[in-house]
Each structure stands twice: as C-alpha cells, then as structure tokens.
Amino acid sequence: IMAQPRLQYAMSVDGLLPPIFAKVDATGNLWHGTLISGTVMITIATFVPFVYLNDLISAGVLVAFSMTDTSVILLRHDNPSDSPHLLEKLLGLFHTVSFVT
C-alpha cells in the first residue's frame, strides 16, 4: 500500500493512468495519488470482510506468480518445430485447470 502512489505515478507518466496521478506538489509528494489510493483502500477495508480480503490477496499473489512463471517459460523455450503453438496451448490449459480448481 505504501508504494501504491509511486506505482500510479509511474503508470501515469507512461500514459496508462490519468494525469492526476502524476501531479507532484511543491515538496515532491504525490498528494493526489496518495489521497485517491488511500480513499479506495479505506473504503475496501471498511466494507469487505477480512476473510474475503485474505482470499483475494492470496489469489492475486498466485495469479501474479503464475503469470511471471509463464512469461519466463515462453521467453526461454521454443515450440517444437512439428507442433507450432503447442507450448502456448499447454500453458493455457494449465491456467484454465488452475482457475477451475
């Protein structure tokens, strides 16, 4: 949560978020990004039970880890010459089965 305004700042500079997240005040603080992300976090923490938050965080970490591993596999390994797109199909099947379970 502490790094959220900096992440939003970087994404805003890259054009992925609205420019309000890239505004920096005179002392170098990201006041707008901190206020917006803090308000969203407080709202979520107020209305969503902790049991669900815990499950969502665990699922988010699992998805991020799985996407990172998939990216590494796709970068380091080539498809067999006789079966193009086999690796992508197998990874898609893996993610589908993981999601269902």
Side-chain angles (χ1 to χ4, degrees), residues 6-19 21-22:
R6 290 285 169 194
L7 176 66
Q8 291 170 339
Y9 171 79
M11 290 176 70
S12 179
V13 169
D14 290 342
L16 299 172
L17 285 177
F21 292 104

Side-chain angles (χ1 to χ4, degrees), residues 20-60:
I20 192 167
F21 292 104
K23 289 185 180 179
V24 180
D25 66 3
T27 58
N29 294 320
L30 300 167
W31 191 83
H32 296 288
T34 303
L35 182 67
I36 292 169
S37 64
T39 303
V40 169
M41 294 301 159
I42 288 171
T43 305
I44 290 172
T46 302
F47 295 111
V48 178
F50 182 74
V51 174
Y52 297 129
L53 287 176
N54 192 21
D55 290 343
L56 286 172
I57 291 169
S58 296

Side-chain angles (χ1 to χ4, degrees), residues 4 6 15-16 26 36 38 47-49 58 78 81 83 87 93 96:
Q4 188 66 34
R6 290 285 169 194
L16 299 172
I36 292 169
F47 295 111
V48 178
S58 296
D78 291 330
S81 58
S83 309
L87 186 58
L93 177 66
T96 304

